[in-house]
């Protein structure tokens, strides 16, 4: 995971190795800048309504944005100590979507009986000692875009 607190690292951060900016002090792009680009490209700028669902008995969470400028866009991630499969509903029984990982790598998937099945890794930071278990940092997120934009599916 990468965290961002400013646009450009300070000289002190550069010397200490604790870099929190989108750009290093020398002006080089850091991985966080790629994340901003992925969000800008694959996340809707507007939508009619959104919903949050928990799947696989609470092993993952999905936010779905309906009637957006990109189509139906869902973001899903694991929140448990084990792998899980998010079941993201499709707008169509035979829907086609792209999935985008945290690095911007894309793959085309098809729904099975109106469901996109998205495999997810375990949460990266889970408080094992808490009686109810608390997910501090979920698994790497996956974006699912069911779109009318053919250019996204290429």
């Amino acid at each position: 995971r990468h965290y961002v607190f400013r646009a450009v690292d300070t000289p002190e951060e550069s010397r200490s190795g604790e870099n929190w900016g989108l750009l290093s002090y020398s002006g080089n792009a850091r991985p966080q800048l790629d994340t901003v680009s992925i969000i800008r490209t694959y996340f809707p700028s507007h939508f009619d309504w959104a919903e949050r669902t928990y799947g696989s008995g609470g092993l993952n969470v999905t936010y779905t944005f309906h009637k957006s400028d990109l189509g139906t866009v869902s973001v899903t991630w694991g929140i448990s100590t084990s792998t899980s499969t998010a079941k993201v509903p499709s707008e169509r029984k035979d829907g086609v979507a792209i999935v985008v990982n945290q690095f911007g790598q894309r793959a085309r998937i098809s729904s099975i009986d109106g469901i996109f099945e998205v495999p997810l890794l375990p949460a990266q930071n889970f408080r094992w000692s808490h009686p109810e278990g608390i997910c501090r940092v979920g698994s790497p997120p996956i974006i699912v875009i069911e779109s009318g934009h053919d250019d996204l599916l290429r």
Side-chain angles (χ1 to χ4, degrees):
R1 295 276 182 194
H2 299 283
Y3 300 92
V4 176
F5 293 101
R6 60 184 50 85
V8 180
D9 290 334
T10 65
E12 294 79 21
E13 291 167 338
S14 182
R15 283 191 293 276
S16 72
E18 292 189 12
N19 302 302
W20 301 103
L22 293 173
L23 301 173
S24 68
Y25 180 67
S26 62
N28 295 319
R30 300 193 53 244
Q32 294 86 319
L33 192 58
D34 292 337
T35 302
V36 171
S37 177
I38 291 166
I39 291 169
R40 210 174 126 248
T41 303
Y42 298 109
F43 215 72
S45 61
H46 66 274
F47 53 90
D48 281 3
W49 62 284
E51 64 181 321
R52 178 184 65 193
T53 55
Y54 291 92
S56 299
L59 299 180
N60 54 62
V61 64
T62 301
Y63 283 85
T64 300
F65 303 89
H66 298 275
K67 298 188 178 184
S68 80
D69 52 323
L70 296 175
T72 301
V73 178
S74 298
V75 181
T76 187
W77 62 92
I79 57 170
S80 76
T81 59
S82 61
T83 60
S84 64
T85 299
K87 297 185 183 293
V88 179
S90 171
E91 296 288 329
R92 298 170 202 82
K93 186 173 176 133
D94 59 347
V96 176
I98 61 166
V99 291
V100 182
N101 70 12
Q102 66 182 356
F103 305 109
Q105 298 165 324
R106 304 178 330 163
R108 185 181 176 125
I109 61 171
S110 298
S111 66
I112 300 169
D113 293 327
I115 300 291
F116 295 110
E117 294 189 356
V118 182
L120 300 168
L121 296 172
Q124 295 178 343
N125 185 344
F126 195 87
R127 280 189 60 195
W128 317 107
S129 60
H130 191 278
E132 297 173 20
I134 294 177
C135 175
R136 295 269 187 195
V137 179
S139 71
I142 302 290
I143 302 171
V144 180
I145 305 166
E146 185 176 14
S147 173
H149 298 276
D150 291 336
D151 57 325
L152 286 177
L153 295 173
R154 290 188 192 127

